Amino acid sequence: MNSEQPEERGKPVGRRIFLGTLGLGVLGVATAPTLQRGLEAFLGSAADKDPTGLTGLLPNGGGFRYYSVAASVPHKTPTSYRLKVDGLVDHPRTYGLADLRALPQTRMVKDVQCVTGWRVPGTPFEGVRLSVLLDAAGVRAKAGAVRFTCFDGTYSESLTLAQARRADVLVALRMQDKDLGHDHGGPVRLYVAPMYFYKSAKWLSGITVTEDVRPGYWENRGYDVDAWVGRSNGRDDEPTS
Ligand SMILES: Nc1nc2c(c(=O)[nH]1)N[C@H]1C(S)=C(S)[C@@H](COP(=O)(O)O)O[C@H]1N2
Ligand SMILES: [Mo]
């Protein structure tokens, strides 16, 4: 599969072919939001006809779509996993999973919302507030943003420093009250609760404090950097709940 297209599993073949054919990932920067809305309209009507596959609002952890822009992602164990915090900080540091588990954990239950329209209500996430790691690192005065990199070798994300310091942004170790599995970005992913789920970078391996925001993987392909749910990607008129 072309690495520009999101890999999706656990859903009907017909839709997978549709998405693959459309080639979402290669949309031009200017046209992406418009075509995205067309795609959502299509999926919306299809979802009515096939609620098991497309809306996915089922118990037992249903509802998630599995995404990876990388063809394959190495597996990390609790002992091999590392998270590096560096850039414009006084105390760069590499954390193991045990180090992260030893820090104060925050749990929150909110809706997960992907920009393509699927939603998983009331999903518990748990982990270390990103602000805790930033404070420990000692962010320098000229810093203005944070860049996230992933051990899939491809994906990246970014937040402004103000966004990164919000209480609802986690370096997540658990989802749905279980340790994060590989498919969901385990052992550690970013969780940016107030934004579309593409901000929540899976397989998190690097947190680099930078001067300015550097657009991430999907942002280089037309999606908003400030991805507030309901207030971005051309959705000014939708509720923010
Ligand atoms: N490393 C990485 N993180 C990623 C992605 C990805 O392809 N690679 N996809 C993003 C998108 S678009 C979504 S909707 C969610 C999907 O998370 P899930 O696979 O746990 O459902 O992960 C986000 N984080
Ligand atoms: Mo997404």
Side-chain angles (χ1 to χ4, degrees):
M1 184 186 269
N2 184 325
S3 65
E4 293 285 300
Q5 296 166 358
E7 178 195 340
E8 296 202 345
R9 281 179 276 138
K11 59 190 192 47
V13 165
R15 183 169 168 235
R16 182 188 309 201
I17 289 168
F18 174 83
L19 287 173
T21 305
L22 186 63
L24 263 188
V26 296
L27 291 179
V29 166
T31 59
T34 309
L35 286 174
Q36 187 70 35
R37 299 188 111 178
L39 172 67
E40 284 161 25
F42 171 86
L43 293 178
S45 59
D48 295 338
K49 291 172 201 127
D50 181 10
T52 54
L54 291 170
T55 57
L57 298 178
L58 302 169
N60 296 326
F64 281 92
R65 304 281 143 70
Y66 298 91
Y67 282 86
S68 175
V69 299
S72 73
V73 181
H75 286 244
K76 301 279 182 186
T77 67
T79 48
S80 70
Y81 175 77
R82 296 288 180 274
L83 173 64
K84 192 173 174 187
V85 181
D86 63 5
L88 299 174
V89 297
D90 291 329
H91 314 289
R93 179 167 173 191
T94 298
Y95 293 85
L97 191 59
D99 301 324
L100 294 172
R101 283 179 174 155
L103 292 168
Q105 305 292 306
T106 299
R107 182 178 180 272
M108 53 188 131
V109 182
K110 295 176 185 289
D111 297 352
V112 159
Q113 177 77 57
C114 172
V115 74
T116 57
W118 56 272
R119 194 164 81 98
V120 188
T123 305
F125 277 88
E126 193 174 339
V128 182
R129 283 205 171 107
L130 179 58
S131 64
V132 168
L133 298 184
L134 293 174
D135 288 347
V139 173
R140 294 195 179 148
K142 68 174 174 180
V146 185
R147 175 172 171 78
F148 306 93
T149 47
C150 307
F151 62 78
D152 63 11
T154 307
Y155 206 76
S156 61
E157 255 306 333
S158 60
L159 291 170
T160 67
L161 200 50
Q163 292 164 358
R165 285 192 159 128
R166 287 175 58 109
D168 53 2
V169 175
L170 299 181
V171 169
L173 313 183
R174 291 167 63 80
M175 190 183 96
Q176 297 176 315
D177 296 317
K178 294 183 295 251
D179 289 347
L180 259 178
H182 176 81
D183 284 346
H184 284 302
V188 177
R189 80 183 292 170
L190 188 66
Y191 175 57
V192 183
M195 295 193 181
Y196 287 110
F197 208 27
Y198 65 87
K199 299 298 290 188
S200 295
K202 309 196 322 183
W203 307 299
L204 184 66
S205 59
I207 297 174
T208 303
V209 178
T210 58
E211 226 170 307
D212 302 306
V213 166
R214 290 187 229 164
Y217 183 90
W218 285 116
E219 294 141 24
N220 281 324
R221 290 157 177 81
Y223 291 87
D224 288 351
V225 177
D226 295 328
W228 307 109
V229 172
R231 289 191 273 137
S232 64
N233 294 295
R235 296 163 163 262
D236 324 292
D237 49 357
E238 294 193 7
T240 52
S241 63

